[in-house]
Amino acid sequence: MADEALFEFLHMEIVSHIYKEQQSGKAEMDNKDRAVCVSVLEGMGFRVGQGLIERLTRDSPSFKDELDIMKFICKDFWTKVFRRQVDNLRTNHQGTYVLQDNKFAMLTQLSSGKQYLDQAPKYLAFSCGVVRGALSNLGMESVVTAEVSVMPSCKFQVVIQKL
Amino acid sequence: MSRQSNRTTDSKKMNSELFTLTYGALVTQLCKDYENDEEVNKQLDKINKNISKWPQTFERGYNIGVRLIEDFLARSSIGRCQDFRETADVIAKVAFKMYLGITPSVTNWSPAGDEFSLILESNPLVDFVELPDNHSTLIYSNLLCGVLRGALEMVQMAVDVKFVQDTLRGDNVTEIRMKFIKRIEENVPAGDE
């Protein structure tokens, strides 16, 4: 089934819609508007991530520890959502993890280099939310950010919030 | 390992679940942004790109449809349809199956042969969805109408698409009515672009 294309189109439309909504009536977007757009997209991704992780882990046994959860995110969850596994997982063993995906699904259609680099964050916000939502329903509050230097490779930084 | 078997059976479903959940998030966001359901319906729909005042709901579907048709033609290598009946069959049997994994049935042809209904036994967009009472007039899957209209406009057919029945609002099946309006001329005037 060609759902990948359908989801990618829907995602593009959602990003475009949120940005257009924010801009309506104003000549230009300032940084505050951009921040609002990003947090709206991230919030949508959060809800989706929560739902997805519930479906995915319904029948699987509980996880041993934080690292086990992160490995699950990198392998099974990433495969289900982004159709490939994370290429590289690094951690400082103190709650910070960096997930590197060299061919991130949301960026492959944008460019394969430095072109449109400034547009990339718009298309990553939703995915950051998905990861944060998934972790949240697995019992881990986190802050997820993404950075891109060369498309379509992308690094997600997950910082687990300890209470 | 139980996790292994989950993967193989769910792998096809997972992509559609991602799409379903994301669509749900979009509709929720639109409901937050606009006060009444009619606005949201229009947003999901957007009938004509020339009518710039229409709220944007439909526009979303329309924009998706305009791009989806190219993807569809590339994947399916179907040639030009000879008439509206063939178009209906291609939409139901090839396009819906390819993107949503369901095959609606084509029925209720009008005597003139320019209107038909697509009956969907199940609608993947509404897999986990219930409409709360205060949103009973919301046409949840209105994006589909926009997609169909946008896609067909790119192959020079102007059609009117609307939901006649909707399982979310208590009907037994989901029925989409498509009406052929006219064939769009190939040469679009320069001012339109």
Side-chain angles (χ1 to χ4, degrees):
Chain A
M1 274 200 297
D3 315 300
E4 305 99 46
L6 203 54
F7 174 72
E8 266 168 45
F9 284 134
L10 181 65
H11 179 245
M12 279 182 347
E13 260 324 290
I14 291 177
V15 172
S16 137
H17 170 81
I18 301 286
Y19 274 79
K20 225 185 261 187
E21 276 308 299
Q22 203 58 29
Q23 186 155 12
S24 59
K26 304 190 205 165
E28 233 186 72
M29 288 190 67
D30 57 21
N31 278 333
K32 192 156 87 72
D33 289 331
R34 278 195 209 103
V36 168
C37 291
V38 166
S39 61
V40 165
L41 282 168
E42 218 252 351
M44 289 173 76
F46 185 79
R47 271 197 289 275
V48 174
Q50 285 183 313
L52 278 176
I53 199 75
E54 271 175 26
R55 301 282 298 168
L56 189 51
T57 56
R58 204 166 32 169
D59 299 321
S60 47
S62 57
F63 297 98
K64 291 198 296 284
D65 60 10
E66 221 175 75
L67 190 57
D68 205 32
I69 293 182
M70 290 313 295
K71 284 196 211 159
F72 177 79
I73 298 279
C74 293
K75 291 205 192 112
D76 298 334
F77 186 74
W78 218 260
T79 312
K80 290 297 167 65
V81 181
F82 304 115
R83 298 179 300 282
R84 49 183 280 115
Q85 290 189 6
V86 162
D87 292 299
N88 196 331
L89 170 67
R90 289 203 300 273
T91 174
N92 65 357
H93 292 289
Q94 273 157 21
T96 302
Y97 298 85
V98 178
L99 290 70
Q100 178 160 349
D101 187 337
N102 290 333
K103 215 176 149 204
F104 189 59
M106 302 293 126
L107 296 177
T108 42
Q109 305 296 326
L110 275 183
S111 86
S112 53
K114 301 252 179 194
Q115 196 182 20
Y116 299 123
L117 202 55
D118 54 342
Q119 304 291 319
K122 292 184 193 176
Y123 295 93
L124 295 171
F126 185 83
S127 310
C128 287
V130 171
V131 175
R132 189 168 69 89
L135 287 171
S136 162
N137 265 12
L138 288 173
M140 288 169 31
E141 290 304 316
S142 57
V143 174
V144 182
T145 49
E147 70 178 68
V148 187
S149 49
V150 178
M151 302 224 247
S153 160
C154 153
K155 280 196 200 141
F156 287 86
Q157 183 172 327
V158 179
V159 179
I160 310 292
Q161 310 290 299
K162 299 255 189 272
L163 291 154
Chain B
M1 222 173 45
S2 66
R3 220 177 272 167
Q4 197 84 22
S5 62
N6 268 347
R7 198 182 308 169
T8 43
T9 49
D10 284 345
S11 60
K12 285 231 162 75
K13 273 208 79 188
M14 185 46 83
N15 276 333
S16 63
E17 285 178 2
L18 175 62
F19 181 76
T20 305
L21 286 170
T22 307
Y23 185 71
L26 171 64
V27 177
T28 313
Q29 188 63 39
L30 288 171
C31 286
K32 259 195 223 162
D33 290 341
Y34 301 99
E35 287 108 34
N36 59 61
D37 286 347
E38 213 184 277
E39 291 275 319
V40 179
N41 288 340
K42 286 179 189 161
Q43 284 286 332
L44 288 169
D45 210 64
K46 193 191 172 180
I47 294 171
N48 189 322
K49 61 186 171 188
N50 287 330
I51 306 176
S52 56
K53 295 286 169 112
W54 278 116
Q56 294 163 357
T57 305
F58 194 61
E59 179 177 356
R60 300 301 129 204
Y62 181 90
N63 290 344
I64 293 180
V66 159
R67 297 186 192 108
L68 201 68
I69 184 74
E70 288 199 22
D71 187 80
F72 172 70
L73 291 172
R75 283 179 206 268
S76 66
S77 36
I78 295 221
R80 207 166 255 292
C81 291
Q82 295 305 317
D83 59 16
F84 202 49
R85 275 180 193 269
E86 212 183 312
T87 311
D89 280 336
V90 167
I91 293 175
K93 299 198 179 97
V94 187
F96 265 88
K97 182 129 176 74
M98 193 187 276
Y99 289 110
L100 293 173
I102 52 171
T103 312
S105 48
V106 179
T107 56
N108 286 353
W109 278 99
S110 65
D114 63 349
E115 242 186 280
F116 68 92
S117 289
L118 283 168
I119 312 271
L120 289 81
E121 298 291 323
S122 70
N123 182 355
L125 287 179
V126 307
D127 263 346
F128 312 118
V129 176
E130 267 180 15
L131 278 184
D133 293 327
N134 56 335
H135 287 293
S136 53
T137 58
L138 181 66
I139 309 174
Y140 186 82
S141 312
N142 217 12
L143 198 97
L144 272 182
C145 293
V147 173
L148 286 166
R149 193 174 164 125
L152 286 173
E153 193 168 306
M154 287 297 115
V155 288
Q156 273 80 47
M157 275 186 265
V159 291
D160 187 38
V161 188
K162 55 179 179 284
F163 270 87
V164 174
Q165 291 188 74
D166 194 349
T167 45
L168 273 188
R169 287 185 291 162
D171 302 309
N172 288 338
V173 293
T174 304
E175 183 183 342
I176 302 177
R177 192 106 186 117
M178 294 185 62
K179 183 180 162 71
F180 179 78
I181 298 178
K182 61 173 190 191
R183 188 161 283 278
I184 305 174
E185 292 307 309
E186 294 268 352
N187 301 321
V188 178
D192 246 14
E193 296 300 349

